[in-house]
Amino acid sequence: MPSLPRHLRRIGHVFVDESMIDAPMTHRVRERLAEGGRADIPWTVVPPDQDRVEFDRGETQALYLKEYKGKFLRFCPGTRAYHCCGYRIIHIGENCPMACSYCILQAYFQDRVLKIWANQDALFRELADGFGADRNTRYRVGTGEFTDSLALEHLTGYSRNLVEFLEDYDNVVLELKSKVVDLSWMEGATRTDRVLPAWSLNAPFINEHEEFDVSTLTERLEAARTCAEAGFRVCLHFDPIIRFDGWREGYAEIIDRIFDFVRPDQIAYMSLGSFRCMPQLNPIIEDRFPETNYIYNEFVPGLDGKVRLLRPLRVEQFKFMVDRLRKHGMEEQLYFCMESTGVWNEVFGYAPPDFGGLGKRLMARAFGE
Ligand code: SF4
């Protein structure tokens, strides 16, 4: 009997909203758990409108198939003080079964329950109203903000459904950002120019010591190559860039390795973001990842309320990485996640106002212009 992918094997309980018992998503999750040899997992029905379920059983994880009543299409929570990329979020659920020490979701959400918005019909209605209202308005959207885009794909098929739904919307490009490999959504995609598969990368040392239950860097790059060979352009992201002993060698190694798998013209864009931390995240990291020590670097409060590495230290890392990426032929693909005009100028020698704004550039690149 096939078993579940490694990152889903800790799921040991399912909660379902009473109103979602007969939703297609609920049936699908039940079937796929059974196919993965987990028909034995207990299911608990909870009253509708219950915001949270109480579940704290150590390492065992819980899924919560929930009817979501809020807005599915949102703006990325950027800050006006920095150059934000203007990305829109399709909200499909919350939390992630993997465990990265630096994960901001640990501070965003009060529990670790893996929530799936099971009322997909409402989601698609809202998206149809939004994207269909004016077909000349273009959207660059993604699902990897409050969860990992593909982490639960094996059970939910959510990304595949979204890809199929968006085939009718020529004005939308969907980015699927992940740290695992699940390419089942490709079977639903006929428009290779409207989906951007994306993987986050990091230095091998960080991958080995700070990211757990994720796919290896080589697996992610192999997946990127598979997508590129199928005609998709891919996105790769370095976020968070972390300062640790040996960071130069580590980031040089992974940057060089990228181009054994994909060419610069197959990369739509690549973000660089330095580790940022909400004040409430620090004690969580200390508690859950006691071996982690990069949080004791020299940080200063930023204009967005998060602490970030001192500017000269950030700029030193950015310059090193951008120089190396430029040697491989990368330029217009590169951008910073949440940095100021000063940092852009210092590292790139230009800033978003010089090319008409970051959102505009990324929109054009997403649409292959
Ligand atoms: S894969 Fe992404 S969402 Fe999941 S734990 Fe790691 S950083 Fe968080």
Side-chain angles (χ1 to χ4, degrees):
M1 185 182 292
S3 60
L4 295 177
R6 195 185 54 208
H7 63 278
L8 299 177
R9 291 190 197 145
R10 283 188 287 142
I11 294 173
H13 202 108
V14 181
F15 294 89
V16 57
D17 259 5
E18 204 177 338
S19 59
M20 292 289 104
I21 288 175
D22 286 320
M25 178 59 73
T26 304
H27 289 296
R28 189 186 292 166
V29 169
R30 195 184 279 279
E31 275 163 26
R32 294 191 180 177
L33 282 170
E35 284 163 15
R38 299 306 317 275
D40 59 323
I41 289 183
W43 285 59
T44 303
V45 176
V46 295
D49 297 325
Q50 181 171 314
D51 193 40
R52 292 184 57 186
V53 292
E54 293 304 325
F55 188 83
D56 186 7
R57 294 201 204 136
E59 289 300 295
T60 305
Q61 295 176 336
L63 277 183
Y64 184 9
L65 291 149
K66 189 165 164 45
E67 180 178 7
Y68 184 64
K69 303 269 179 67
K71 284 266 174 229
F72 293 100
L73 186 62
R74 301 168 167 210
F75 284 99
C76 185
T79 311
R80 295 179 70 171
Y82 303 115
H83 293 288
C84 169
C85 69
Y87 184 66
R88 300 285 291 267
I89 298 159
I90 298 178
H91 195 27
I92 61 169
E94 289 173 359
N95 269 324
C96 173
M98 290 88 84
C100 304
S101 64
Y102 51 75
C103 182
I104 197 114
L105 300 186
Q106 301 173 99
Y108 277 176
F109 304 121
Q110 288 169 357
D111 62 27
R112 303 269 306 147
V113 173
L114 305 166
K115 298 185 191 103
I116 301 164
W117 309 146
N119 51 331
Q120 281 184 299
D121 49 345
L123 178 140
F124 290 130
R125 261 198 315 276
E126 186 187 321
L127 296 188
D129 288 347
F131 299 147
D134 173 9
R135 301 268 179 165
N136 292 317
T137 301
R138 300 196 301 186
Y139 296 88
R140 193 169 65 86
V141 298
T143 50
E145 191 68 20
F146 299 118
T147 181
D148 175 288
S149 294
L150 300 174
L152 298 178
E153 186 67 11
H154 184 86
L155 297 175
T156 66
Y158 227 123
S159 295
R160 180 178 175 157
N161 292 151
L162 260 180
V163 165
E164 286 167 345
F165 170 81
L166 291 174
E167 296 268 300
D168 291 336
Y169 296 88
D170 193 37
N171 53 334
V172 183
V173 168
L174 172 69
E175 180 177 344
L176 298 172
K177 188 156 85 178
S178 188
K179 284 204 189 84
V180 292
V181 174
D182 183 326
L183 300 181
S184 53
W185 56 269
M186 282 173 84
E187 292 158 27
T190 57
R191 299 237 14 200
T192 55
D193 57 344
R194 290 293 181 266
V195 185
L196 294 171
W199 281 274
S200 303
L201 299 173
N202 220 309
F205 179 87
I206 298 297
N207 169 243
E208 285 154 26
H209 293 86
E210 309 294 343
E211 300 177 345
F212 303 96
D213 291 335
V214 294
S215 297
T216 65
L217 295 169
T218 301
E219 285 166 339
R220 293 178 225 174
L221 287 170
E222 282 170 349
R225 177 171 60 194
T226 301
C227 292
E229 285 174 349
F232 295 92
R233 284 164 310 122
V234 300
C235 303
L236 298 171
H237 298 289
F238 281 107
D239 198 350
I241 297 166
I242 287 176
R243 200 171 174 95
F244 62 96
D245 287 343
W247 65 264
R248 281 187 187 75
E249 294 75 17
Y251 285 110
E253 184 188 334
I254 184 66
I255 287 172
D256 293 348
R257 214 195 297 173
I258 291 171
F259 301 97
D260 294 336
F261 292 85
V262 288
R263 300 187 309 268
D265 63 287
Q266 293 171 319
I267 301 173
Y269 43 79
M270 175 185 283
S271 67
L272 304 172
S274 187
F275 172 68
R276 303 171 293 288
C277 179
M278 294 152 93
Q280 57 274 42
L281 182 59
N282 247 325
I284 299 173
I285 298 177
E286 279 174 348
D287 182 48
R288 294 191 64 210
F289 302 92
E291 312 274 299
T292 289
N293 57 21
Y294 61 80
I295 49 174
Y296 306 113
N297 274 323
E298 295 177 87
F299 293 106
V300 283
L303 298 169
D304 53 2
K306 296 175 185 166
V307 298
R308 48 182 62 210
L309 203 59
L310 283 176
R311 176 164 160 173
L313 302 181
R314 294 206 309 281
V315 166
E316 185 186 20
Q317 286 197 290
F318 286 149
K319 276 190 171 159
F320 177 85
M321 293 179 70
V322 168
D323 280 353
R324 194 116 188 161
L325 287 159
R326 278 177 163 160
K327 288 196 181 108
H328 285 283
M330 298 283 283
E331 184 67 52
E332 288 206 353
Q333 299 94 331
L334 302 175
Y335 71 98
F336 287 138
C337 185
M338 307 305 281
E339 285 292 349
S340 64
T341 297
V343 170
W344 270 85
N345 277 325
E346 222 179 318
V347 178
F348 284 112
Y350 53 79
D354 300 328
F355 52 74
L358 184 56
K360 196 168 156 207
R361 168 175 280 183
L362 293 179
M363 188 70 82
R365 291 207 61 88
F367 280 83
E369 294 164 358

